[in-house]
Amino acid sequence: MCIRDRFFRLIQLDDNGSLVNESNYFSSGRINNGLLARAPTSNLVVFSFEFEKELSWANGNLSSNGGFDIFNSSTENGLLSSHYSSIGGPWNDRLTSMSCIGLNSYVVASSFYQNIKVGNETFQAMGSSDALISKIHTENHRLFDNYHLSTVKEDRIDVLGVMTDEFMLVGGKTYSPITKTEQSFLNTFGEKPNKPRALNAPPTHLNSSFPFDFTIYTAVSYTHLRAHETRGNL
């Protein structure tokens, strides 16, 4: 992977270091912050990066919704997928983490201001910036689900550490209405077919059962945690 100002290049080499294949992306603005994740026991590689203005590549093009948006796609055995997904709003949206969950899905963490659009859903920010986890299919890059973390201050999700197909670690920063301070957190998110759970979600313990669509206020208008089941479960 190579990023240089307006240019993103994905390079595949063989065991001897010889070039097998390369994919190039160009932006009329800038390209930032690329991440790669390999699906376990396969040659599938998912990649994400930030871009602004107009993004173009061999078989497509895409315009950002404002400042920086996030582009996601994949490659397998040197063949670039014709499918992709994008995450973006009117301001600069930042890619903070990305990881594969098994062979069929991957998760992308982002931070955003004002609002952000993922698939057919739009999320409104409540504080200076909000955090979002999006679960996406590795093959067709369609959205499975979202998790939205929103308080009156800055919210960030910086770590998505997949432990098994059913559990992952989520770490970042959020605001606590109890201490009235911004605090770091590290929590375990559970994923299991027909019975998803969010364990110890900040800043309070939370249990849920499938299907779910809920909003929790731990104090009057202070902390807003939202999880929404769309096509799958996070």
Side-chain angles (χ1 to χ4, degrees):
M1 182 180 69
C2 174
I3 297 177
R4 184 174 297 174
D5 194 21
R6 302 183 178 192
F7 177 75
F8 177 91
R9 173 176 288 173
L10 192 64
I11 303 171
Q12 182 182 3
L13 305 176
D14 62 19
D15 293 338
N16 298 317
S18 299
L19 180 66
V20 175
N21 188 55
E22 67 177 61
S23 304
N24 298 306
Y25 293 82
F26 304 91
S27 173
S28 59
R30 292 169 292 171
I31 292 178
N32 283 336
N33 192 23
L35 296 176
L36 295 174
R38 182 174 179 176
T41 65
S42 79
N43 292 321
L44 176 71
V45 175
V46 177
F47 59 93
S48 303
F49 58 83
E50 303 168 357
F51 75 96
E52 62 178 355
K53 297 184 179 179
E54 185 83 13
L55 182 69
S56 60
W57 61 100
N59 58 350
N61 60 80
L62 179 68
S63 296
S64 72
N65 291 313
F68 280 100
D69 280 13
I70 299 169
F71 178 86
N72 312 294
S73 191
S74 60
T75 179
E76 187 171 14
N77 296 320
L79 299 176
L80 187 67
S81 174
S82 60
H83 301 284
Y84 64 87
S85 64
S86 64
I87 301 170
W91 299 99
N92 289 331
D93 307 302
R94 297 302 187 185
L95 171 67
T96 55
S97 187
M98 189 261 286
S99 188
C100 286
I101 302 177
L103 294 174
N104 297 320
S105 61
Y106 63 99
V107 282
V108 176
S110 58
S111 61
F112 68 96
Y113 306 86
Q114 189 173 329
N115 64 67
I116 193 170
K117 185 175 182 180
V118 188
N120 294 322
E121 288 202 66
T122 299
F123 296 87
Q124 301 293 329
M126 187 170 117
S128 59
S129 68
D130 280 15
L132 187 72
I133 302 175
S134 302
K135 182 182 176 185
I136 304 169
H137 197 285
T138 52
E139 185 175 344
N140 56 33
H141 295 277
R142 292 181 179 176
L143 180 70
F144 276 132
D145 200 8
N146 288 299
Y147 179 83
H148 180 198
L149 175 61
S150 181
T151 70
V152 295
K153 299 290 186 178
E154 179 187 7
D155 300 294
R156 289 182 58 87
I157 293 173
D158 297 309
V159 177
L160 295 174
V162 175
M163 298 181 291
T164 69
D165 288 353
E166 296 183 356
F167 293 98
M168 67 178 177
L169 290 174
V170 178
K173 184 176 73 172
T174 191
Y175 175 76
S176 170
I178 300 173
T179 62
K180 300 189 184 325
T181 59
E182 295 178 74
Q183 298 181 344
S184 298
F185 68 88
L186 183 63
N187 295 311
T188 305
F189 275 40
E191 173 183 84
K192 195 169 185 179
N194 297 327
K195 194 177 180 181
R197 299 183 67 195
L199 304 177
N200 196 27
T204 186
H205 188 81
L206 168 67
N207 289 317
S208 61
S209 58
F210 181 88
F212 60 91
D213 185 1
F214 57 83
T215 299
I216 291 178
Y217 293 90
T218 57
V220 179
S221 299
Y222 281 119
T223 301
H224 176 201
L225 302 178
R226 181 178 185 274
H228 179 54
E229 193 280 324
T230 53
R231 300 179 184 85
N233 51 346
L234 183 64

